[in-house]
Amino acid sequence: MRILTASDRALLVEAADLDEAMRLNLAWEGLPGVVERVPGARTVLVRFDPLRVSATELAHTLAATEVDATRPPSTGEVTIPVQYDGEDLDEAASALGVSVEELVNRHLAADWRVAFSGFAPGFGYVVSSDPLFDVPRHSSPRTRVPAGSVALAGAFTGVYPRESPGGWQLIGRTDAVMWDIDRDPPALLAPGTLVRFERVRDAARLGAAHVGRNGDGPARARRVAEQHAAADADGPGFGTASAVEVVRPSLQLLVQDAGRPGFAALGVSASGAADRRAMRDANRAVGNAEVAAVLESVGGAVLRFHGAGVAAVTGAIGALTLTGGDGVVRAVRHGEPFATFDGDELTLGYPDRGLRYVIGVRGGVDAAPALGSRATDTLAGLGPEPLSAGVVLPIGDAASHPVEPGAVPRDLPASGDLVELEITLGPRDDWFTAEALQVLTTQEWTVTPRSDRVGIRLRGEVALERSVGGELPSEGAVTGAIQVPPDGQPVLFLPDHPLTGGYPIIGALTDRSLDLAGQLPPGARLRFAVQVRSAG
């Protein structure tokens, strides 16, 4: 067992093989101080609370773990209908040195089992004992893989739950619903599930084929219909006295809160506000619980208030005005709570500094929760949809404290400014040359426009050179991880990043640097400063 630093709040444990990783993951359930575990192909990522256990103490506990050779118990069995007509079927068969028919027959005959989840909600990494299946990924991932695609990569097969980028070899497709938030459990392929694939030659029969415990989401349809009926009956504001309406959305206007940690086993990342400090400041200003749902706006927007209330704007810094129903316009001070009356419109100007405004309203935004959180996960498609013009959001009852004076505005960067972010090295810094490690910490990196809540794409004059070639088996990644794809230009993971990945991670932001990263506008320059390792 080798224990590596994954961040200042996470360790990555290397196991001998997949079976040992699965057994260790089960053995560490309920371990004091452990927040979440993300199993991988030969690793387990262990996130911990440093206020409850230190990295050194946790590393000693993990290293002392003894597990037997008993295979983890099964958690059920499902059958998935597949039409084997994937566009990579010929290429995959050729890479394995077999005919297409033999590949399909062995895929059907193999005893498959879900080893772990990751990448996206409902995506199970399914492995068998058939040694045939060891398929290389595409060297250049597709930007769009259709939902329901059945694919191979390495020793795994998997089914894409929703349209997303991906580099796996596509061998077929299915209509089985891999993820349904209204199903128990939501993921069709949970760790430990036994999987059987059933060939369907007629595409029209896919939807009628037996899919084990899978369903077509009737509970969701009923719930949506009930919500619409309630909205029609109650009128604007969905039956509440106070609400906020989107008049003009920004480049991206979302509902966010503290996120949904604890669902890594389902392939669900925590997500949540990109600038947690701004969320807490906005909620404190209006008297909410610190984790109440807020609005997160990339760039300017216009919001209209229904009913009387209190609001505050934190995060990015720009011109803020409130236009009353009588047409009178007054300036709003950043971070300060202000009263709102029916018909008032809040205008957020394009930020002068920072990237994301956070708008708190007294009582909190009362959007429908998913897995206990109202956060919008843009990669997973969980939580409320991105907000568009005309959307009316009810205001809840999360105000449990008096209104407080606002927080002092932070010194956030503008485009072109230089920012220093603190990092820890690892877990895969040994995959890079000594020169690359020096470049990482001495070169300036520029935030490119190709950035979002999944990750910030950085550009540097000198790319990071690897000393170890080949593919890395899928392993867990934390928010703030610095992943390095083959072109050597890093991607800095933000809250909606995939739980697992196959590109090496050279380092990760410390927890206190995460909020600033969420406010980096395109064109900002940054340097990385290394914190001393706490475990190794």
Side-chain angles (χ1 to χ4, degrees):
M1 186 188 299
R2 193 163 71 124
I3 300 177
L4 308 171
T5 297
S7 75
D8 61 338
R9 297 187 176 213
L11 301 174
L12 186 74
V13 182
E14 287 186 337
D17 51 30
L18 174 60
D19 281 345
E20 184 179 69
M22 294 172 66
R23 293 194 299 271
L24 287 171
N25 179 54
L26 290 175
W28 293 331
E29 185 172 356
L31 206 60
V34 171
V35 175
E36 196 165 44
R37 310 178 318 281
V38 183
R42 289 199 295 268
T43 59
V44 181
L45 179 74
V46 183
R47 292 182 53 239
F48 64 92
D49 181 353
L51 297 179
R52 298 177 59 197
V53 63
S54 71
T56 301
E57 292 169 337
L58 179 59
H60 288 163
T61 301
L62 299 178
T65 304
E66 295 184 3
V67 294
D68 58 34
T70 304
R71 198 170 196 185
S74 169
T75 57
E77 182 174 348
V78 298
T79 300
I80 297 177
V82 179
Q83 184 170 16
Y84 288 92
D85 59 356
E87 56 187 284
D88 299 325
L89 188 57
D90 289 338
E91 181 180 340
S94 177
L96 296 175
V98 298
S99 67
V100 167
E101 194 61 22
E102 181 177 350
L103 187 156
V104 170
N105 288 336
R106 291 177 70 166
H107 193 259
L108 291 166
D111 294 322
W112 295 98
R113 181 188 184 94
V114 183
F116 59 96
S117 299
F119 178 66
F123 190 95
Y125 288 78
V126 191
V127 67
S128 81
S129 58
D130 189 334
L132 173 71
F133 295 102
D134 190 359
V135 184
R137 293 177 175 86
H138 284 288
S139 57
S140 179
R142 291 180 173 88
T143 57
R144 293 175 59 192
V145 175
S149 295
V150 181
L152 299 171
F156 300 101
T157 192
V159 182
Y160 284 78
R162 65 195 304 261
E163 184 181 285
S164 61
W168 288 35
Q169 303 278 0
L170 309 184
I171 63 170
R173 54 198 170 99
T174 181
D175 279 353
V177 179
M178 310 310 296
W179 174 265
D180 184 345
I181 193 68
D182 293 308
R183 184 172 57 201
D184 184 18
L188 183 63
L189 301 184
T193 301
L194 302 178
V195 182
R196 184 173 70 87
F197 295 99
E198 180 180 82
R199 190 170 195 171
V200 176
R201 297 184 184 274
D202 181 1
R205 293 179 53 219
L206 270 182
H210 174 62
V211 290
R213 66 166 178 260
N214 185 38
D216 60 0
R220 172 177 291 181
R222 286 195 300 271
R223 190 176 71 173
V224 170
E226 290 167 357
Q227 288 175 339
H228 287 179
D232 292 340
D234 294 336
F238 302 93
T240 65
S242 300
V244 58
E245 177 185 354
V246 179
V247 177
R248 189 187 74 223
S250 58
L251 293 174
Q252 186 180 68
L253 183 61
L254 307 173
V255 178
Q256 292 295 340
D257 60 14
R260 49 181 68 85
F263 293 98
L266 298 179
V268 178
S269 66
S271 187
D275 184 347
R276 302 161 302 173
R277 176 175 170 182
M279 175 191 70
R280 292 192 296 265
D281 287 346
N283 278 321
R284 278 198 295 264
V286 299
N288 290 341
E290 289 189 347
V291 297
V294 297
L295 299 179
E296 179 183 275
S297 177
V298 175
V302 178
L303 305 173
R304 180 181 296 129
F305 296 97
H306 295 272
V310 179
V313 182
T314 60
I317 299 170
L320 307 174
T321 59
L322 190 70
T323 304
D326 55 3
V328 175
V329 180
R330 63 185 177 93
V332 170
R333 294 184 62 182
H334 181 280
E336 292 290 339
F338 58 93
T340 63
F341 297 94
D342 192 64
D344 285 358
E345 290 190 357
L346 173 66
T347 300
L348 311 170
Y350 191 83
D352 299 316
R353 310 189 73 81
L355 179 66
R356 292 178 168 88
Y357 288 110
V358 172
I359 305 98
V361 292
R362 183 167 176 80
V365 176
D366 193 17
L371 297 179
S373 168
R374 294 179 170 88
T376 300
D377 186 329
T378 58
L379 178 66
L382 278 177
E385 292 288 328
L387 305 178
S388 57
V391 170
V392 179
L393 295 165
I395 293 174
D397 56 0
S400 54
H401 307 287
V403 172
E404 294 186 6
V408 176
R410 293 140 64 197
D411 185 17
L412 297 177
S415 182
D417 286 354
L418 179 63
V419 174
E420 183 174 281
L421 297 177
E422 185 181 57
I423 66 170
T424 56
L425 290 178
R428 299 301 175 189
D429 51 314
D430 57 352
W431 277 52
F432 296 86
T433 64
E435 292 76 15
L437 295 177
Q438 185 176 23
V439 167
L440 175 70
T441 57
T442 58
Q443 176 173 266
E444 288 185 6
W445 301 93
T446 302
V447 176
T448 72
R450 296 174 60 213
S451 302
D452 53 25
R453 280 180 51 88
V454 175
I456 299 173
R457 294 181 180 270
L458 302 176
R459 176 65 58 179
E461 184 176 346
V462 180
L464 299 178
E465 183 182 8
R466 282 171 52 171
S467 59
V468 178
E471 295 184 359
L472 180 70
S474 292
E475 61 187 27
V478 298
T479 302
I482 305 168
Q483 190 184 70
V484 185
D487 65 3
Q489 300 291 344
V491 178
L492 178 57
F493 279 170
L494 289 186
D496 292 354
H497 68 89
L499 275 177
T500 58
Y503 295 139
I505 292 172
I506 194 171
L509 297 186
T510 59
D511 186 75
R512 59 188 172 197
S513 293
L514 292 177
D515 294 333
L516 181 55
Q519 291 290 359
L520 295 176
R525 300 173 297 133
L526 60 90
R527 286 184 183 272
F528 294 119
V530 178
Q531 181 193 66
V532 177
R533 289 180 186 269
S534 56

